[in-house]
Amino acid sequence: MKRILLIAAIAFQILAVAALAISREWIVKTGREMTFQTAPIDPRDIFRGDYVRLEYLFSNVSSHQFDNQIIQTGIKKGTKVYLSLQTGDNGISWGSRLSLRPPEQIPYLAGRVIESWPYKGYEEEFHSKLLMDELLQQPIQVKYGIEQYYVEQGSGRLMEEIRGTRSSYQVPLLIDTAVSGSGTAVIKSYHWANIAMMTEIVRSPERNAPPERSGAMIRFSLRNISDRSVTLPWKSGNCAFALQPVQSVPLETENLGLDRPACTEASRGSRILKPGQGISVVFNLNNPEWYVEYNGKPTPMGRLPLSYRFRITYMDEKVEGVNARIRSRSFHGRGSID
């Protein structure tokens, strides 16, 4: 009898693995092809061989992307959520809205929340409305089942070298997936972006600097690493770029930098980057145009809470020949870069 039970248990495990493999193969063949932009983190698992651990632009979902039900009731660790997806002209898809129910329109990704939001006991710990509001603006961390990609033995380190380091140009890794109608994604392959990006601190504020000099100067650089020239639509005065909130930022700053008065009359043109050529833009975060509404008044970015993070984003996604979204690393107004 024990022998029969053992054989049955082994057979069940084999069937379960086979069913999973068949299901994944079906998604690969029939799912919607979508590409997500990400960066590898830890390249090696000595027990399973080389793999790349992935973090996507939508692994942390900002509170302004939550549906009303999440805002009103919060969400527990392990809850299943659904992320609506949009795709740009460059073929890169990103998350637009997080909900507790599958969206009526596809495509979307299904995932699980890593930690409760807000975390348990926040009402007892925070009696200040200001602190409560800041807590509610924290992002949700979500896993979608595509956070690991196994590669050939020894190639994980090579991928890390291609990607670059925090202090150098970095090349975005692009993940090609198949997404089913129920939001399950399967990784098919990967390729590299043809443009490298670097985020640097040009100047940090002095300690105890007055509010009007409490911000940093941020430089964001691009380099064409393809074998063809790339033409970037351009506006004078750095108006081709804007600062976008990443997390813990008041909702009224969602369009920060989109309505700069000087940019309404900025001259239009283009910048051609030949293979190997680069271009940089510098943002002085002390300029009043980057002040943020905080506590009911315009506040220099260097005086915002450390949890308030931003990115420099290229505003025109219609760039022929560029296969990635052009976005800097996230940073705080005082100059710390994530």
Side-chain angles (χ1 to χ4, degrees), residues 15 18 62 102 108 121 160 164 190 238 246 252 281 284 303:
L15 289 174
S62 299
Y108 61 85
E160 285 291 295
Y190 72 89
N238 290 345
V246 177
E252 59 267 25
V281 293
N284 185 350
R303 289 303 177 103

Side-chain angles (χ1 to χ4, degrees), residues 291-328:
Y291 283 15
V292 173
E293 187 76 16
Y294 182 68
N295 285 347
K297 60 181 180 180
T299 303
M301 291 183 64
R303 289 303 177 103
L304 296 174
L306 288 175
S307 58
Y308 284 35
R309 320 299 286 190
F310 299 84
R311 294 184 193 273
I312 297 171
T313 303
Y314 182 70
M315 297 306 300
D316 195 335
E317 294 293 339
K318 299 179 181 180
V319 183
E320 186 174 353
V322 174
N323 63 353
R325 300 191 77 189
I326 300 177
R327 307 178 74 190
S328 75

